[in-house]
Amino acid sequence: MTQQRQTALLNSLNTLAQRVPPYRPVSSGQLVRVVGLTLEASGCRAPIGSLCEIETTEGSLDAEVVGFNNDLLYLMPVEEIRGVVPGAKVTPKGNQAGLSVGMELLGRVIDGNGLPLDGLGPLHTEQRTTTHAQPINPLARRAISEHLDVGVRAINAMLTVGKGQRMGLFAGSGVGKSVLLGMMTRGTTADVIVVGLVGERGREVKEFIEEILGVEGRKRSVVIAAPADTSPLMRLRACETSTRIAEYFRDQGLNVLLLMDSLTRYAQAQREIALAVGEPPATKGYPPSVFARLPRLVERAGNGGEGQGSITAFYTVLTEGDDQQDPIADASRAILDGHIVLSRSLADSGHYPAIDIEASISRVAPMVISAEHLEATRRVKQMYATYQQNRDLISIGAYSQGSDPRIDNAIRLQPAMNAFLRQRMHEAVSFADAQLMLGQLAAQCKV
Ligand SMILES: Nc1ncnc2c1ncn2[C@@H]1O[C@H](COP(=O)(O)OP(=O)(O)OP(=O)(O)O)[C@@H](O)[C@H]1O
Ligand SMILES: [Mg+2]
């Protein structure tokens, strides 16, 4: 570079630096307006994502900067708004909310900020970090090449999950999502299980921990809970904290199973925040930022680079009124590597787990199972579909035995097929057993 060009470049950089004022956190400002969940402060500057402390009649309240408009800062409280008065002092804390991570998290139940909820005393974790991590270069990630045993026969055999895969669990309310997630926590061979319970009823959180997870399941799990009555920011953060903790364990070389119940509540929390700061709604009331955030969260799961472990993730997606066309369900289906659909009609008939194997798919299964296993899956699926397609005829007695050997065989195998797909709540079936039983069933599906 010539001397002349160098000087010209330096000059233009100097002009630019003069135009953009340097970032200076101003000591404090004041609260000027409260609209719904949003607090508006003037007289202080703080970057988006950082925390501010608001003086209240009951002490202080932490709020996160979620937007701004000229000199106005939009803040969203981390906890409930109480004791806030007009003109309250707002002091930028200058940093993002931190998070402590470490092996001590195992067996604990924490909130979205990483603070213990279980009354087992303070956490003495070794590492301080933030809820955001540097994304991994997609080319540095290991490819998905091994299966992960989740302890559920229907999934292990028919919808095999790979280490590092991201699956969606699509279902309406009350069809057995939580029970299925609980079965996985007890039956999986993953080293660590990170469970994010977001937007659930408070009662359900306790039930999940005590009854579904149990003492055994808790030992190698971390539960992050943000029930429905917590602030949207806390619910959003709980999902990010869960993902960050899973990333921590993955970086220690461990295979992590991340269970997030639910991704829909994450989207709804972001919708609440975005609408409150004035973002216009786009699809069914969801602003565009929701659809930008979903892949950012989901992409953080997956395999790490060489020497790191993996995050295999299950995200539950609520399909209200069993509507599979919900915008969040649609967006999730596109960004996940497969989906398991739970059917209300199966659940109503007492068929648990209510997995609709015809509507479900694991996109990486062919990469992690043998050719024989794949062939067996195909045969059983075909036989299952044959029965389903003719079910109405069979049930009203309009089908006469002997007209079609395929249908005859499907009718004969129906009880075996149902027994194979059903599983009791406290039963765990290993991948090897599931594969063996699938082989035996497929051998009878010859026609
Ligand atoms: N494998 C199973 N065996 C027997 N019963 C089951 C099984 N799975 C689910 N159930 C029954 O279904 C009920 C609802 O299950 P669960 O609470 O998991 O549903 P959910 O989809 O998580 O509901 P919500 O939408 O309210 O969170 C359970 O209380 C239980 O009675
Ligand atoms: Mg549930």
Side-chain angles (χ1 to χ4, degrees):
M1 201 186 286
T2 63
Q3 185 74 28
Q4 212 175 2
R5 274 193 65 197
Q6 233 168 10
T7 324
L9 202 66
L10 267 176
N11 281 343
S12 56
L13 276 176
N14 279 338
T15 334
L16 206 67
Q18 276 160 14
R19 233 181 280 152
V20 184
Y23 164 65
R24 263 179 291 109
V26 176
S27 55
S28 63
Q30 55 176 345
L31 211 58
V32 289
R33 204 159 86 120
V34 179
V35 185
L37 287 176
T38 331
L39 310 171
E40 294 177 14
S42 77
C44 52
R45 288 179 73 200
I48 286 190
S50 69
L51 286 179
C52 290
E53 193 177 279
I54 300 167
E55 251 180 34
T56 70
T57 56
E58 300 179 13
S60 67
L61 173 76
D62 274 353
E64 190 176 306
V65 182
V66 288
F68 58 82
N69 183 0
N70 288 322
D71 280 344
L72 277 186
L73 276 189
Y74 295 143
L75 306 165
M76 183 88 44
V78 178
E79 288 140 35
E80 205 185 334
I81 309 181
R82 283 228 311 261
V84 173
V85 289
K89 191 173 163 196
V90 178
T91 316
K93 284 173 127 182
N95 56 342
Q96 286 195 341
L99 175 71
S100 295
V101 288
M103 285 295 172
E104 297 80 359
L105 283 169
L106 291 176
R108 301 298 302 260
V109 183
I110 57 173
D111 69 5
N113 285 333
L115 301 174
L117 286 174
D118 50 13
L120 297 177
L123 267 162
H124 300 288
T125 39
E126 67 225 30
Q127 202 178 317
R128 194 84 186 140
T129 173
T130 61
T131 50
H132 301 281
Q134 282 299 326
I136 300 182
N137 175 347
L139 298 183
R141 279 182 192 266
R142 278 177 292 112
I144 300 176
S145 58
E146 278 176 74
H147 69 261
L148 178 77
D149 186 346
V150 293
V152 179
R153 183 165 46 223
I155 300 179
N156 277 345
M158 305 294 292
L159 302 158
T160 314
V161 176
K163 278 183 191 157
Q165 183 174 6
R166 286 113 11 129
M167 286 289 261
L169 190 59
F170 290 70
S173 55
V175 281
K177 295 180 297 297
S178 304
V179 172
L180 184 57
L181 294 184
M183 285 166 80
M184 290 196 229
T185 55
R186 289 189 303 267
T188 182
T189 53
D191 304 311
V192 172
I193 301 122
V194 179
V195 189
L197 299 177
V198 178
E200 294 255 332
R201 285 148 283 179
R203 173 186 60 79
E204 273 195 310
V205 172
K206 194 166 186 316
E207 224 173 72
F208 186 88
I209 294 163
E210 286 178 3
E211 285 163 38
I212 300 185
L213 205 54
V215 182
E216 267 315 293
R218 259 183 91 167
K219 279 190 194 150
R220 51 182 182 143
S221 315
V222 186
V223 178
I224 299 92
D229 58 351
T230 54
S231 71
L233 208 57
M234 200 65 155
R235 279 175 267 146
L236 211 59
R237 197 172 286 165
C239 292
E240 273 146 21
T241 299
S242 312
T243 310
R244 186 68 195 92
I245 291 175
E247 283 169 339
Y248 165 78
F249 286 116
R250 178 199 60 198
D251 295 347
Q252 310 299 310
L254 298 170
N255 290 313
V256 183
L257 180 63
L258 171 66
L259 306 173
M260 195 83 86
D261 193 8
S262 74
L263 194 61
T264 307
R265 301 283 182 230
Y266 174 77
Q268 287 172 350
Q270 172 60 18
R271 173 171 68 179
E272 271 180 59
I273 296 172
L275 292 179
V277 296
E279 198 185 333
T283 322
K284 280 208 185 168
Y286 287 99
S289 65
V290 172
F291 302 97
R293 272 192 103 128
L294 279 179
R296 278 220 302 267
L297 181 79
V298 167
E299 276 299 318
R300 287 167 64 182
N303 279 337
E306 283 311 319
Q308 292 182 330
S310 63
I311 303 176
T312 312
F314 277 81
Y315 298 94
T316 66
V317 179
L318 292 169
T319 46
E320 298 299 344
D322 293 312
D323 171 18
Q324 302 286 331
Q325 302 312 317
D326 172 78
I328 299 304
D330 246 2
S332 316
R333 208 173 289 121
I335 55 176
L336 295 167
D337 315 312
H339 50 268
I340 291 178
V341 178
L342 298 187
S343 132
R344 188 171 295 279
S345 67
L346 284 175
D348 287 345
S349 66
H351 180 117
Y352 286 113
I355 300 172
D356 181 345
I357 57 161
E358 283 181 290
S360 309
I361 182 167
S362 164
R363 292 192 200 151
V364 309
M367 290 183 247
V368 296
I369 57 176
S370 63
E372 299 88 73
H373 186 153
L374 192 63
E375 174 60 16
T377 316
R378 197 186 56 78
R379 272 200 210 161
V380 172
K381 254 193 182 159
Q382 248 176 14
M383 196 53 76
Y384 187 84
T386 305
Y387 185 85
Q388 294 305 324
Q389 282 154 11
N390 297 285
R391 206 170 59 156
D392 291 344
L393 283 183
I394 300 165
S395 61
I396 59 164
Y399 174 75
S400 56
Q401 190 109 23
S403 338
D404 184 338
R406 272 176 57 246
I407 303 180
D408 288 343
N409 209 15
I411 296 173
R412 190 176 57 78
L413 287 177
Q414 187 60 17
M417 213 127 41
N418 276 338
F420 175 73
L421 296 173
R422 285 181 189 175
Q423 191 168 326
R424 283 195 311 277
M425 224 187 271
H426 289 280
E427 188 189 359
V429 180
S430 72
F431 182 81
D433 287 348
Q435 207 177 18
L436 193 74
M437 285 154 110
L438 175 74
Q440 288 165 353
L441 187 63
Q444 299 178 62
C445 300
K446 279 266 163 54
V447 187

